[in-house]
Amino acid sequence: MKPKLTLKKIAKELDVSISTVSKALRDSPEIGEETREKIKAFAKHYNYKPNNIALSLKNRKTKTIGIIIPEIVHHFFTTVISGVEKVANEMGYNVLVCLSDNSFDKEVLNMEMLANGSTDGFILSLAKETMQKGDYHHLQEAINQGMPLVLFDRVVDSIACDKVIIDDVAGAKKAVQHLLDVGCRRIAMISTVDYVSVGKLRTKGYKEALEENDIEFDENLILKIEEMEDSEKEIEEFLSNCEVDGVFAVNEHFAISAVKTLQESGKKVPQDVSVIGFTDGELSKRFIPGLTTVSQHGMRIGEESARLLIEKLERTPTEEDYYKTIIVETGLVVRDSTKSKK
Amino acid sequence: MKPKLTLKKIAKELDVSISTVSKALRDSPEIGEETREKIKAFAKHYNYKPNNIALSLKNRKTKTIGIIIPEIVHHFFTTVISGVEKVANEMGYNVLVCLSDNSFDKEVLNMEMLANGSTDGFILSLAKETMQKGDYHHLQEAINQGMPLVLFDRVVDSIACDKVIIDDVAGAKKAVQHLLDVGCRRIAMISTVDYVSVGKLRTKGYKEALEENDIEFDENLILKIEEMEDSEKEIEEFLSNCEVDGVFAVNEHFAISAVKTLQESGKKVPQDVSVIGFTDGELSKRFIPGLTTVSQHGMRIGEESARLLIEKLERTPTEEDYYKTIIVETGLVVRDSTKSKK
């Protein structure tokens, strides 16, 4: 049987990127005319149908929604999936899950696959690489063709669609304020690189909390980690080179590495240094000492995302289109890695 | 637009179970003739096509494989997905993930959805409820219609298909032998109910290790947990009522609950009691004390499953059909929750 022609295959045959093929087929002026014509001619010759989304619209009501996440071995994203499943099932929908592995190409390919008649709409959290590139043409196109889309957690302002986020600035502020309340004065922050929106926003919250408490911001107290794999070593080096009495980490892995490093260097948590994390996963709960964390309520984020998407899918077409952003409030779970309030 | 008729809807309309509809449409003698005829007439009237799988075979080569797992907030299953993704992507396949939530009905519905032209074949780990019922007609049917299937981890002997498993008996034996080697003599086992195949097999390994070391088996040292939710309380009660110097738990959650309970009751781990778990996840690695565990190599299980399935998908139809079972060997990761060997 002849395998179906896909974006990937066209890209490979013509030795261009997937994004280039995708854009050329939509006649994007970003792609030079010669390349565009070549790609279009090739696709036409092999009978490739670029308008899969439009095609699938004709046979709508698969009663299935797709969710694309950047990582799967990750407690927050799995709880979001659980939340989506819960609401979707209650409302008679099936759920298909795809992974982008934080790759832009995989995100584009996943959307192509899911839009190809398998699903009625998407729930998506952006791949790291997509945010780094700032290339969102695949999302815009889905929306243009009438395919509803809900972004969660890792979202982007420039795309008009429904969104479910937490208030990262407020969450981080809450965490740092808690450290200040228990007496910390030199608070380190362990964050991610700035193009990951949450890293940037949480850094903003950190700064705001310090400012409101008249504590000077010190650039040297911020560590930005690019690769999860090297994080343990980086955190060890960072903490051995700065004297702190509090640590705010943007995820629980970083927080736990901080606790381990501090303990190994003879410091006591929380007596000498209080540590607070973000994302309330199994690790935080089960760790000894139990980790104080900002909880993201992944389950609720998933539930709200599914509700928004299904609302869109079931509205009558005459209703006017408008987009909502739902902000799920963060909580603070106080455990034993931070000192008690005086 | 008219929504598509699904098994679920027929079941709802006629007030029978999904399984009954599915079997009646395949003319199973398990279903009474009257019910069968009623269901078939209804389906025919509404133009329901029961042979979705056969239909999709005609347009094969979606270059997509489906994976159905019982739970998503679960480190082992997420690593299996990573392994499947890795090999599938290398070989040019996409992956769709579905959750059965340990429900038989959801497993059947997921298969219906995925077989409906979205995927070329399945990788599946059975839902708890499916194993409890012992109803595997949906798997048999997929196979009968030429849809390749690979079962992993939670498998069943009566279905002839490719399988990827670990040697649960040998893995458990290895764990218990390690406890015996470090001097434990009264070893408790924290397991799951017997209809979950892994619980049963690991109990067998536990017994064999004791027998080979001439230690009498004591029924009272085995705890079988039905619901994850109540596990902490059950483990606390169990351990406060039996004097032991070793604990073998069939997953890391149970192992960690055991460590916590023991510590809270004033016992030291590993000095007073050595604890060993199964599944080498983040929790085991990050916990203090680091947990000694039997590692299941989820990544490799996923990789082998994907390889088996894709082999089947790409074989020429003239080749003879035969099935393989791949046994992925378990490892023992020794950390600080067990005493050192003397």
Side-chain angles (χ1 to χ4, degrees), chain A residues 32-183:
Chain A
E33 201 182 326
E34 199 182 330
T35 311
R36 227 189 307 157
E37 290 309 321
K38 186 172 70 182
I39 291 169
K40 282 163 69 184
F42 183 89
K44 199 176 167 196
H45 180 73
Y46 286 98
N47 208 19
Y48 177 73
K49 305 225 170 25
N51 289 315
N52 287 330
I53 296 175
L55 282 176
S56 83
L57 283 178
K58 281 192 212 148
N59 310 303
R60 210 24 123 49
K61 302 289 176 212
T62 61
K63 282 282 193 179
T64 301
I65 62 188
I67 166 163
I68 303 176
I69 54 167
E71 293 167 52
I72 185 91
V73 188
H74 194 302
H75 186 266
F76 171 67
F77 288 117
T78 58
T79 53
V80 172
I81 295 174
S82 290
V84 170
E85 279 276 343
K86 185 168 168 270
V87 167
N89 286 311
E90 280 167 15
M91 300 179 83
Y93 282 76
N94 298 311
V95 178
L96 287 175
V97 184
C98 284
L99 306 189
S100 67
D101 266 339
N102 273 317
S103 139
F104 171 75
D105 279 354
K106 274 202 72 179
E107 190 173 282
V108 173
L109 294 173
N110 279 333
M111 285 197 71
E112 185 199 22
M113 168 173 65
L114 290 179
N116 199 354
S118 324
T119 52
D120 297 341
F122 297 109
I123 294 170
L124 186 141
S125 188
L126 291 165
K128 219 190 265 180
E129 203 191 356
T130 306
M131 287 187 286
Q132 199 174 4
K133 277 176 179 275
D135 184 342
Y136 309 110
H137 78 282
H138 51 307
L139 307 183
Q140 194 52 59
E141 183 195 321
I143 296 165
N144 291 349
Q145 303 210 19
M147 191 91 176
L149 171 70
V150 176
L151 289 178
F152 75 92
D153 193 49
R154 297 191 191 165
V155 306
V156 58
D157 285 341
S158 63
I159 297 290
C161 67
D162 287 323
K163 286 164 198 164
V164 180
I165 52 173
I166 59 162
D167 189 337
D168 280 290
V169 178
K173 221 166 141 177
K174 205 180 276 183
V176 177
Q177 188 60 55
H178 183 74
L179 289 173
L180 292 164
D181 288 347
V182 301

Side-chain angles (χ1 to χ4, degrees), chain A residues 196-252:
Chain A
V196 177
S197 56
V198 298
K200 200 170 166 182
L201 294 169
R202 291 176 196 167
T203 307
K204 189 162 175 254
Y206 165 83
K207 284 184 187 168
E208 284 184 13
L210 293 183
E211 203 174 311
E212 283 177 17
N213 290 267
D214 294 320
I215 293 183
E216 210 175 327
F217 169 67
D218 178 355
E219 188 80 53
N220 297 316
L221 292 184
I222 294 199
L223 172 66
K224 288 179 187 174
I225 288 174
E226 179 130 16
E227 287 298 331
M228 273 306 272
E229 283 161 33
D230 313 324
S231 62
E232 279 197 44
K233 234 170 64 199
E234 280 191 57
I235 289 169
E236 204 183 315
E237 215 180 282
F238 170 68
L239 287 177
S240 70
N241 285 318
C242 65
E243 205 56 49
V244 297
D245 55 11
V247 174
F248 165 52
V250 297
N251 62 46
E252 55 180 2

Side-chain angles (χ1 to χ4, degrees), chain A residues 180-196:
Chain A
L180 292 164
D181 288 347
V182 301
C184 301
R185 282 303 168 264
R186 276 184 66 77
I187 299 169
M189 172 165 184
I190 304 175
S191 184
T192 57
V193 283
D194 274 350
Y195 60 75
V196 177

Side-chain angles (χ1 to χ4, degrees), chain B residues 95-225:
Chain B
V95 178
L96 287 175
V97 183
C98 284
L99 306 188
S100 67
D101 266 341
N102 274 316
S103 140
F104 171 76
D105 279 354
K106 272 202 74 179
E107 191 174 281
V108 174
L109 294 173
N110 278 333
M111 284 197 71
E112 185 199 22
M113 168 174 65
L114 290 180
N116 198 355
S118 322
T119 53
D120 298 340
F122 298 109
I123 294 170
L124 186 142
S125 188
L126 292 165
K128 221 190 265 181
E129 204 190 357
T130 305
M131 288 187 286
Q132 198 175 6
K133 276 176 180 273
D135 185 343
Y136 308 109
H137 79 281
H138 51 307
L139 307 184
Q140 194 53 59
E141 182 197 321
I143 296 166
N144 292 348
Q145 302 209 21
M147 191 92 176
L149 171 70
V150 176
L151 289 178
F152 74 93
D153 193 50
R154 298 190 190 165
V155 306
V156 59
D157 284 340
S158 63
I159 296 290
C161 68
D162 287 322
K163 287 164 197 165
V164 181
I165 52 173
I166 59 162
D167 189 336
D168 280 290
V169 178
K173 221 167 142 176
K174 206 180 278 185
V176 177
Q177 188 59 55
H178 184 75
L179 289 173
L180 291 164
D181 289 346
V182 301
C184 302
R185 283 301 168 265
R186 277 185 65 78
I187 300 169
M189 175 167 180
I190 304 176
S191 185
T192 57
V193 283
D194 273 350
Y195 60 75
V196 177
S197 56
V198 298
K200 198 169 167 183
L201 294 169
R202 290 175 196 169
T203 306
K204 188 162 175 257
Y206 165 84
K207 284 184 187 168
E208 284 184 14
L210 293 183
E211 203 173 310
E212 284 178 16
N213 290 268
D214 294 319
I215 293 182
E216 211 176 326
F217 169 67
D218 179 354
E219 188 80 54
N220 297 318
L221 291 185
I222 295 200
L223 171 67
K224 289 179 186 174
I225 288 174

Side-chain angles (χ1 to χ4, degrees), chain A residues 1 57-58 60-61 64 72-73 75 78-79 81-82 85 89 94-99 101 106 113-114 232 253 256-257 260 263 282-283 285-288, chain B residues 1 3 57-58 60 64 72-73 75 78-79 81-82 85 89 94-99 101 106 113-114 232 253 256-257 260 263 282-283 285-288:
Chain A
M1 262 159 288
L57 283 178
K58 281 192 212 148
R60 210 24 123 49
K61 302 289 176 212
T64 301
I72 185 91
V73 188
H75 186 266
T78 58
T79 53
I81 295 174
S82 290
E85 279 276 343
N89 286 311
N94 298 311
V95 178
L96 287 175
V97 184
C98 284
L99 306 189
D101 266 339
K106 274 202 72 179
M113 168 173 65
L114 290 179
E232 279 197 44
H253 291 276
I256 281 169
S257 294
K260 283 202 159 182
Q263 287 179 338
E282 279 296 313
L283 275 173
K285 209 174 356 185
R286 303 285 196 142
F287 199 64
I288 301 178
Chain B
M1 263 159 289
L57 283 179
K58 282 191 213 150
R60 216 13 131 52
T64 301
I72 186 91
V73 188
H75 186 266
T78 58
T79 53
I81 296 173
S82 290
E85 280 275 344
N89 286 311
N94 299 310
V95 178
L96 287 175
V97 183
C98 284
L99 306 188
D101 266 341
K106 272 202 74 179
M113 168 174 65
L114 290 180
E232 278 197 47
H253 292 276
I256 281 170
S257 295
K260 283 202 157 181
Q263 286 179 337
E282 279 296 311
L283 274 171
K285 212 174 353 186
R286 302 285 196 142
F287 199 66
I288 302 178

